[in-house]
Amino acid sequence: MKKNLLCAAMLFASCSAFAAEQHVHWDYSGDKGPENWAKLTPEFGACAGKNQTPVNLTGFIQADLKPLKFNYKVGGSQILNNGHTVQVVYDAGSNVVIDGVEYELKQFHFHAPSENEIKGESYPLEGHFVHADKNGNLAVVAVMFKEGKANPVLETLWAHLPAKEGDKIALTPAHNALDLLPKNHAYYRFSGSLTTPPCTEGVRWIVMKKPVFVSKAQIDAFKKVMGHDNNRPLQAVNAREILE
């Protein structure tokens, strides 16, 4: 399961354990849309689970959340379009420390509009920074983008936007993901899942409280490349606690 979880987080990148899933087409609308993901194949059964992401973050429980420690180095070396999102592949050597455990940054990607909501507010863009510890346990750091001034980091990334599914473009020079995070690292936390099939649960979700800015032109550029919204609908919180 740990291997499968990590492979899924890498969005099926060269993982033989997920060969079957690669042949199961899923989408964000129609017969293969989110409401039917769990029915497409038994391997997607978790999509009907009780601890799914995204959620509306509200009803917070006060908790003693320890500060996050980001140890990000320059490592975003390739940007690709997999048909479901635009993803930046990250070289080894960068991590975030959560509760004393190091989670290595594997990749980051984007959803428009946002998948999670904060107190009922949706954002035009959300970034997911996907990490894994040495045992394959996953942690996703989510950053909300609010429409406003142009984002200088996205400006350089978007200069290499892969226009077609399957396109991969080298990033020269490589990028530092830390530059996309808000300066204030206050966060919410909850237990959830991957937001795409196989929707595996047991993922640690860290949602940054403060958004960063993105321009309308940058939002529109991403949407034009994707050609469709790529956000999964909100899922029930059920018995979970959302900590702040």
Side-chain angles (χ1 to χ4, degrees):
M1 177 60 72
K2 295 296 176 59
K3 179 181 179 182
N4 289 357
L5 190 65
L6 179 55
C7 291
M10 299 290 286
L11 299 184
F12 311 132
S14 303
C15 292
S16 58
F18 271 76
E21 284 90 327
Q22 290 192 45
H23 299 294
V24 179
H25 176 71
W26 58 270
D27 211 332
Y28 282 101
S29 61
D31 293 341
K32 299 185 184 299
E35 66 277 9
N36 293 316
W37 285 350
K39 305 172 187 175
L40 297 178
T41 174
E43 286 79 9
F44 294 175
C47 295
K50 299 295 185 183
N51 296 298
Q52 291 289 292
T53 306
V55 300
N56 176 27
L57 284 82
T58 188
F60 305 106
I61 303 296
Q62 296 295 320
D64 182 22
L65 296 180
K66 305 300 182 185
L68 302 171
K69 184 178 181 182
F70 289 98
N71 302 301
Y72 285 180
K73 303 175 182 178
V74 173
S77 58
Q78 185 184 74
I79 188 168
L80 61 89
N81 181 339
N82 64 14
H84 298 302
T85 189
V86 168
Q87 173 182 316
V88 174
V89 180
Y90 224 78
D91 296 335
S94 295
N95 66 69
V96 61
V97 179
I98 304 172
D99 297 336
V101 178
E102 289 187 1
Y103 292 83
E104 184 173 69
L105 178 60
K106 300 295 183 180
Q107 50 99 338
F108 61 89
H109 61 269
F110 302 90
H111 297 270
S114 69
E115 297 200 297
N116 294 291
E117 295 183 1
I118 299 177
K119 301 177 184 177
E121 181 177 359
S122 175
Y123 292 80
L125 187 71
E126 180 176 353
H128 290 167
F129 298 75
V130 182
H131 307 72
D133 70 9
K134 63 182 181 180
N135 297 315
N137 299 301
L138 297 183
V140 178
V141 174
V143 175
M144 301 298 181
F145 290 80
K146 184 176 183 178
E147 185 176 325
K149 60 185 178 181
N151 187 297
V153 180
L154 289 187
E155 195 69 24
T156 57
L157 287 176
W158 272 204
H160 306 282
L161 267 179
K164 297 182 297 182
E165 180 177 350
D167 283 355
K168 300 178 182 179
I169 300 173
L171 293 174
T172 307
H175 287 67
N176 192 331
L178 188 64
D179 296 333
L180 276 171
L181 301 182
K183 300 300 182 184
N184 185 329
H185 292 165
Y187 65 97
Y188 305 107
R189 178 172 174 170
F190 68 97
S191 178
S193 72
L194 301 176
T195 66
T196 58
C199 309
T200 314
E201 296 183 340
V203 178
R204 291 162 176 80
W205 275 87
I206 303 293
V207 179
M208 307 306 286
K209 287 186 175 183
K210 300 295 184 181
V212 295
F213 284 109
V214 62
S215 69
K216 184 179 186 303
Q218 290 173 326
I219 298 166
D220 291 344
F222 177 81
K223 287 184 173 182
K224 182 179 180 180
V225 165
M226 294 312 304
H228 55 79
D229 290 348
N230 69 334
N231 64 318
R232 185 188 190 188
L234 292 174
Q235 305 295 300
V237 174
N238 294 318
R240 287 176 286 176
E241 294 182 342
I242 300 177
L243 307 179
E244 73 165 339

